[in-house]
Amino acid sequence: MSGEPAALDGLVTTARAAAADDALFHLAFDGHVARLTVARARRRNAVRGDDWRVLPALVEQAARGGARVILLASDVAGSFSAGADLNELAALHEDAAARLPFRNVMRAGLDALRASPVPVIALVDGDCFGAGVALAIACDIRVAGPAARFAVTPARLGISYPFADIARLRALVGEGQAARLLLAAEAIDRDEALRIGLAELAGGAAQAEKLAAAIAANAPSSVAALKHGLAAAGDDAGENHDRAFDAAFGGPDFAAGLAAFHARRTPEFD
């Protein structure tokens, strides 16, 4: 990563601090694709509080650094994420004062991923359990590799799942399938995840890369507006989105798209 604008100095410092030897998340840029890699092999990519804490800064750095899409993938064979770090969860049994801060920092990390101004693709090819599922469903699109397995496992530990994560799961797969995943806590394979809507595409890294490239090639203003429209709710949100729809016809991306169409060439957006 090189040539970051001065405005990113604070975020870059934060992100580099997160990229210490034991960091879980690592950010790098590849053109307009930001690669957010999950890598802590000795703990099967278990997520700790400090990992959730740094995630908002990494997402912001990706967006402000010119990324048009974020690709979240594991660098550990056989594991996307084993879920929350059990050592930290065990500490919450005796330390009641730590429970709310733990939930809040996890929520802030997941909400930052969900609210990213650029789309986020999760490539899951290996075990995706517990909080790992929460991480995946906070993304916009999930690509499931051949080895993907999903399990929402808090009921096996005698705990629950945060409300926002239950809501996201239900929105993806429906109430009945969400109940099945949460209450039985059984693992499902890639084909079953695709069948119920927990994943959108089958394929490995090549499929995820192809999807990321397709998104990055489109007009950034259009992608941002469409992502916002998908997340919006309520009459006011709809009216605001439609006003943005109207305004886009006077914008530079539409002018560039029209010019490329008339010239019969692939558009290039700034």
Side-chain angles (χ1 to χ4, degrees), residues 52-266:
W52 296 122
R53 189 171 287 109
V54 78
L55 193 52
L58 293 173
V59 171
E60 186 176 356
Q61 184 192 343
R64 293 180 60 187
R68 297 181 182 178
V69 63
I70 297 171
L71 180 55
L72 173 66
S74 171
D75 198 34
V76 176
S79 182
F80 177 77
S81 174
D85 189 292
L86 285 180
N87 291 330
E88 287 197 346
L89 294 186
L92 299 179
H93 181 64
E94 299 295 338
D95 190 356
R99 295 168 192 168
L100 179 59
F102 171 83
R103 175 162 56 85
N104 284 343
V105 76
M106 179 179 175
R107 178 84 287 112
L110 291 169
D111 285 352
L113 197 64
R114 186 62 179 169
S116 165
V118 299
V120 186
I121 301 167
L123 169 59
V124 179
D125 196 7
D127 291 346
C128 179
F129 296 160
V133 175
L135 185 65
I137 65 178
C139 301
D140 297 288
I141 305 169
R142 285 142 294 278
V143 178
R149 291 198 309 154
F150 299 83
V152 190
T153 53
R156 292 186 180 180
L157 291 172
I159 56 176
S160 184
Y161 217 39
F163 183 78
D165 301 318
I166 292 176
R168 285 174 185 155
L169 182 64
R170 183 174 55 224
L172 276 176
V173 304
E175 187 166 354
Q177 293 292 358
R180 165 199 174 194
L181 292 170
L182 288 162
L183 304 183
E186 294 178 340
I188 62 171
D189 62 16
R190 176 182 72 171
D191 290 344
E192 183 66 1
L194 289 163
R195 187 186 73 81
I196 67 174
L198 188 56
E200 286 72 39
L201 287 174
Q207 180 64 55
E209 297 276 1
K210 181 180 178 182
L211 179 61
I215 293 172
N218 288 330
S221 63
S222 298
V223 171
L226 292 165
K227 176 176 164 66
H228 183 268
L230 285 166
D235 293 339
D236 289 344
E239 291 176 4
N240 291 336
H241 179 83
D242 285 345
R243 281 194 292 270
F245 169 83
D246 297 341
F249 290 102
D253 280 349
F254 183 55
L258 273 182
F261 176 80
H262 290 306
R264 297 184 179 181
R265 59 174 171 79
T266 301

Side-chain angles (χ1 to χ4, degrees), residues 9 29 142 151 244:
D9 283 349
F29 289 87
R142 285 142 294 278

